């Protein structure tokens, strides 16, 4: 059964604004014609501020993982030493990609739910001075931790010559990253998280200083060869047929982000995070992540008086509220709320109100209305400050 009233609050895919849906629903155009060129030439420069770079942001048709993989194949050769921070399922994926491409992978394992410390990265670099690149995850979606990637990149740059690659799939569009200022060399993202689009587009922002590494890299690659994307972009094109409907949608997403203003967009995510976390505290729901390490796009809760899966099931059945579960060893241990992209404080009030009803059904001990009141208070506090 397709239920149009479902409330999708998973950390990707996330809901798509109606105006973006309408924009995607346009007649097809030729991908080598003038209309497509106009579209690409409009989109390409407008993506740059979202990634905090003056470098090129390349658009690849593929899921977010294709952007991760492209960063690996374009800057490394077999046998290269790399450091990968693994603090959850997506850090682990980055490490797996690196292993697949025959790199010598030095994992920094961080307990799931915690953020990496910049000193750990520096220490690892000192142990392995030949490290070619450091791979980091900005928002580790599996736990809801936002890693200090800008600080980390600055430290890597200050103490080594390693490249810094950041997975921003579940943060870009919802949280600011100043790629150029912090020295991040490659920042990748995808369309279906905070970028308010369906799955299918991957973004690869490449710092100008990295192109010599990419150009000189002899590793064979074809679909994900960033050199062809850069070359084609000069003429407003892509090397292969792009997901044109998604590009139509992306143009509208850029309109929406610019209309609201990026700073406001990022603030809105902070407000949603604070509302959600304050509500959880008021509802006696243990948060997996500390305030300092918490992501502004996804919140993880580790319940101790009921089964996380039971709450997810009931919320879905009764209200169509769709939350995510845990991954790997956190499966069944946590549930995760996505508040990213096309999500607003009004949605937080709605899902907290629903969660309260489900908590009553589960016999959880709390004062009815306390969660909504705490979320309201967090919202009011923010807007009073403004
Ligand atoms: C969703 C996600 C990805 C990519 O997932 P795809 O399924 O390939 O789109 C990568 N990294 C993070 C942090 C993510 O949240």
């Amino acid at each position: 059964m397709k239920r149009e009233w479902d409330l999708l609050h998973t950390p990707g895919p996330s809901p798509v604004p109606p105006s973006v849906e309408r924009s995607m629903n346009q007649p097809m155009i030729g991908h080598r014609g003038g209309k497509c060129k106009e579209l690409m030439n409009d989109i390409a420069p407008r993506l740059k501020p979202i990634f905090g770079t003056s470098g090129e942001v390349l658009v690849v048709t593929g899921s977010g993982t294709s952007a991760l993989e492209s960063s690996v194949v374009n800057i490394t050769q077999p046998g290269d030493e790399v450091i990968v921070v693994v603090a959850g399922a997506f850090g682990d994926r980055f490490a797996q990609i690196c292993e697949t491409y025959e790199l010598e992978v030095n994992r920094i394992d961080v307990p799931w739910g915690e953020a990496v410390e910049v000193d750990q990265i520096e220490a690892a670099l000192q142990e392995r001075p030949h490290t070619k690149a450091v791979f980091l995850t900005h928002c580790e979606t599996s736990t809801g931790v936002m890693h200090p990637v800008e600080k980390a990149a600055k430290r890597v740059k200050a103490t080594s010559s390693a490249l810094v690659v950041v997975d921003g799939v579940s943060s870009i569009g919802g949280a600011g990253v100043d790629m150029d200022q912090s020295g991040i060399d490659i920042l990748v993202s995808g369309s279906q998280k905070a970028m308010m689009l369906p799955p299918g587009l991957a973004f690869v922002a490449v710092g100008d200083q990295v192109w010599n590494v990419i150009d000189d890299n002899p590793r064979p690659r074809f679909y994900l060869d960033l050199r062809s994307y850069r070359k084609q972009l000069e003429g407003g094109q892509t090397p292969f047929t792009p997901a044109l409907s998604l590009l139509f949608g992306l143009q509208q997403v850029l309109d929406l982000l610019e209309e609201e203003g990026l700073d406001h967009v990022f603030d809105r995510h902070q407000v949603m995070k604070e509302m959600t976390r304050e509500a959880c505290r008021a509802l006696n729901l243990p948060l997996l992540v500390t305030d300092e390490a918490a992501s502004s796009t996804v919140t993880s809760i580790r319940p101790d008086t009921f089964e996380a899966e039971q709450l997810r099931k009931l919320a879905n059945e009764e209200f169509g509220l769709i939350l995510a579960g845990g991954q790997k060893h956190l499966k069944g241990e946590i549930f995760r709320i996505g508040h990213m992209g096309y999500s607003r404080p009004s949605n937080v009030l709605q899902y907290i109100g629903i969660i309260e009803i489900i908590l009553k059904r589960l016999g959880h001990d709390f004062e009815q209305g306390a969660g909504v009141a705490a979320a309201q208070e967090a919202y009011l506090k923010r807007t009073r400050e403004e």
Side-chain angles (χ1 to χ4, degrees), residues 68-69 71-73 75-86 90-107 133-136 165 219:
L68 268 59
E69 185 158 339
S71 70
V72 173
V73 297
I75 62 169
T76 67
Q77 298 174 58
D80 278 351
E81 279 185 54
V82 296
I83 290 172
V84 185
V85 171
V86 180
F90 290 102
D92 185 61
R93 181 175 300 181
F94 233 160
Q96 281 183 44
I97 295 171
C98 290
E99 279 156 8
T100 303
Y101 283 98
E102 302 176 309
L103 306 181
E104 224 180 278
V105 180
N106 176 20
R107 288 179 181 234
V134 178
F135 292 87
L136 303 163
V165 181
R219 189 199 280 281

Side-chain angles (χ1 to χ4, degrees), residues 232-261:
Q232 291 292 335
L233 190 60
E234 285 168 15
Q237 299 210 353
T238 52
F240 316 106
T241 317
L244 286 156
S245 307
L246 293 174
L247 294 181
F248 297 148
L250 176 56
Q251 199 172 31
Q252 175 63 17
V253 165
L254 294 168
D255 282 352
L256 292 176
L257 292 175
E258 287 165 12
E259 219 170 274
E260 183 176 348

Side-chain angles (χ1 to χ4, degrees), residues 11-13 62-68 89-91 93-94 137-142 167-171 188-193 199-202 327 336 340:
S63 88
T65 305
S66 69
L68 268 59
F90 290 102
R93 181 175 300 181
F94 233 160
T137 313
H138 188 207
C139 170
E140 175 50 76
T141 324
S142 64
D167 171 354
V169 174
S170 61
S171 60
V188 304
S189 197
S191 53
Q192 80 274 26
K193 309 272 169 96
L201 291 183
Q327 292 172 283
R336 294 174 297 147
M340 58 173 75

Side-chain angles (χ1 to χ4, degrees), residues 262-321:
L262 277 182
D263 286 343
H264 192 275
V265 171
F266 301 153
D267 273 352
R268 167 164 55 82
H269 284 79
Q270 286 291 338
V271 173
M272 291 191 289
K273 168 185 86 171
E274 287 160 19
M275 291 171 74
T276 303
R277 292 177 65 82
E278 288 306 324
C280 288
R281 277 192 259 268
L283 295 173
N284 308 322
L285 291 176
L287 294 158
L288 180 70
V289 176
T290 63
D291 283 344
E292 296 70 42
S295 167
S296 57
T297 55
V298 53
T299 298
S300 295
I301 293 119
R302 183 175 221 158
D304 51 5
T305 67
F306 57 88
E307 296 293 329
E309 291 305 293
Q310 196 58 20
L311 176 132
R312 291 212 303 132
K313 181 167 171 278
L314 296 181
N316 185 349
E317 278 173 5
E318 194 163 346
F319 290 97
L321 172 62

Side-chain angles (χ1 to χ4, degrees), residues 55 57-58 136 194 216 280 294 342:
V57 182
L58 306 168
L136 303 163
D216 294 345
C280 288
Y342 183 48

Side-chain angles (χ1 to χ4, degrees), residues 14-15 31 50 106 132 153 169 176 211 251 274 279 286 319 326 349 380:
S14 67
H31 73 293
I50 300 168
N106 176 20
K132 177 79 175 279
V169 174
W211 282 110
Q251 199 172 31
E274 287 160 19
F319 290 97
L349 296 172
L380 286 169

